[in-house]
Amino acid sequence: MSDIKDNSAASSDMEPTLTKRSLLDTLEIDVRLLGMLAAFLAIVVIFTIWTGGVFIRPRNIFNITVQTVPVAIMACGMVFVIVMRHIDLSVGSLLATCSAVMAMMQAYWLPSLFGLEYGNPFILILTILIGLTVGTTMGAATGWLVGYQLIPSFIVTLGGLFIWRNVNWFATNGQSVSLRDPNLLMFGGTEGVLGATASYSVGIAASIAAVYVIFASRKNKLSHGFVVKPMWAEGALTAIIVGTIMLFVHWLSLYEIPKGKLRRMFEARGEVVPEGYTAVHGLPISVLILILVAVVMTVVASKTRFGRYIFATGGNPDSADLSGINTRWLTVKVFALMGFLCALAALIAQARLQSHGNDIGMLEELRVIAAAVIGGTALAGGVGTIYGAVLGALIMQSLQSGMAMVGVDTPFQNIVVGLVLITAVWVDIIYRKRMGITK
Amino acid sequence: MSNEGKTPLVEMRDISIAFGGIKAVDHVTVDLYPGEVVGLLGHNGAGKTTLIKCLSGAYHKDAGEIHVNGERAEINNPRDARDYNIETIYQTLALSDNLDAASNLFLGRELMRNGLVDDAKMEAETRKIMGRLNPNFKKFNDPVSALSGGQRQSVAIARAVYFDAKILIMDEPTAALGPHETQMVADLIQELKAQGIGIFLIDHDIHNVMQLCDRANVMKNGKLVGTVNVNEVTDDDILGMIILGKKPEHLAA
């Protein structure tokens, strides 16, 4: 004790930073995540004020989340690809080909081949299964060329960008294909929502799961005698997480289904809307899928061997090889997963547009890479998080929606997104220099 | 010699490997007995590391046989080597800089719990072994890029020692270390030796070799110049072998 007091004069100007850091350390909060959340909140606040509150309305929040889903889903896969020191420039074209295959399946091939009626559940199931298989296979092919044939991923996927964009064109003759199968529309957003009761149930279930995971991990750490967060910190963090989940669900459940649409929905069933009847949107199925993907990918990244090997390989490919990791096969798996997620994004993108258009997914690869990078994924490999990528996609979409609402022209919207990308990485570099983090 | 009649732990017979037209290792035979430290000496590019990488599974030999405990062993990749309890500490340390000490220590052999990696258990085990090897080591939650050279070295050593190695390959284990840490590695080698582990030690420092090794193999230009018992030769004899590529005359008989 006396030693510390003796040195207090020398270290007094150091103390404020020390206590600040130690508070963050106690809470075990990722400073980058905090920065991204602050940026996101700033965007929300600025546009809410600028639009006189329209930006924050349930309807707009609903739209932004739904529009974010395809890019965010692919960004989750892109994190793994970039962490492995690779890149995938073909995801937009991959999405287009998967979308083309699924659109042709449901509109022409399956009905004519098996004589199925539109709306038959088999069309839904087969279309999805075939779409996901095609995406996974295309991704695996990329992975084989990169992992086993050692062609740089930049080249393979740049070629893939041309190839799959035009396979899509060839498959549909360049024509738009509308989604004839009504079931497929449920992945689009407004056509597939859970309603109030189911949304709140999902919110409560998610909250319980979050609480369980936090305290199970705490118990496991305690059983090995490690230092854990103080109980108040653990409780506060848990409260913030649960609060965010429930607020989000509640907000989307405030978005009512318009009267005209309700009438059409009842008419389709040959009924009349009862007097005073209202219904709300709640959680869209597509957003639920994104949340599931993000949770599963986070578990994969941090808690499975597969994820551990991806990060180890990104950090040092030679050390991974010498540790007995089959890095070639790992490359195939990572690109196959990327392809799978492209197919999933295609299913959601075409359902939202209610048709497959020839230009679907055009330039999406750049937005996906930008989302991952804004979210803190380092192109040098080895570093990246799933939540960062999802947040990156959300930040980009919020910016674009907000700017569109206040009347910023499209060219300026894209200029701003470009500037945000560069600034995000710049700030990160400055931060790491200050903190003395070398990698 | 005390090894007479015993089965060698490792025998590398007539090993050859070439890269392009260059014979990096040219018909080299070496062996290693339990509880023995065998040095590998030679200039840079003499083929020491290449030879040893055939044993650790990083390279695939073109010709020759490897025997472990008298039985022929097929080592085609690092996993095979680990299955024979052959552990390697590479000169480059082979650490993934972005991962913490525990993740590196257990890389490729993670401890699992309900199908998921058990980080807490791995950290606890890492704390245990580090407490033994390097009690000053405290940075368990930082990526290893944040560690000093000596701390990184102790992670690499811990990884080799933790998994019950029978055969240990150390490629310049003290190259990046200060005197205190070098002494720590020397003590560790004595301790492992006493446990009956066989150690191949690649080192540039003749003084280290004379102090730690029982026998020394000298290589030059991919060929084995000769194998000597360290207590029968002087520093100058070994230097002569390294530089001239010839066995000293009083031993050549």
Side-chain angles (χ1 to χ4, degrees), chain A residues 259-338:
Chain A
K259 290 262 174 340
K261 190 172 168 193
L262 271 182
R263 199 169 57 236
R264 265 174 286 145
M265 283 164 66
F266 274 83
E267 274 168 7
R269 281 181 273 159
E271 294 168 28
V272 185
V273 185
E275 197 62 35
Y277 180 88
T278 56
V280 298
H281 284 86
L283 270 183
I285 292 174
S286 60
V287 173
L288 197 60
I289 292 175
L290 168 62
I291 293 168
L292 278 179
V293 167
V295 169
V296 170
M297 291 287 281
T298 302
V299 172
V300 168
S302 55
K303 285 280 156 197
T304 66
R305 284 198 166 135
F306 176 54
R308 184 64 44 94
Y309 295 170
I310 289 171
F311 280 83
T313 307
N316 185 347
D318 295 333
S319 94
D321 258 333
L322 293 173
S323 301
I325 295 167
N326 188 343
T327 51
R328 297 176 166 202
W329 179 229
L330 192 69
T331 308
V332 174
K333 286 196 278 189
V334 166
F335 277 98
L337 178 60
M338 184 74 247

Side-chain angles (χ1 to χ4, degrees), chain A residues 23 27 29 214-215 218 229-244:
Chain A
L23 177 66
L27 294 177
I29 290 176
I214 289 169
F215 284 90
R218 183 187 174 86
K229 276 174 259 186
M231 203 58 192
W232 64 266
E234 200 90 71
L237 276 185
T238 312
I240 291 172
I241 290 168
V242 170
T244 309

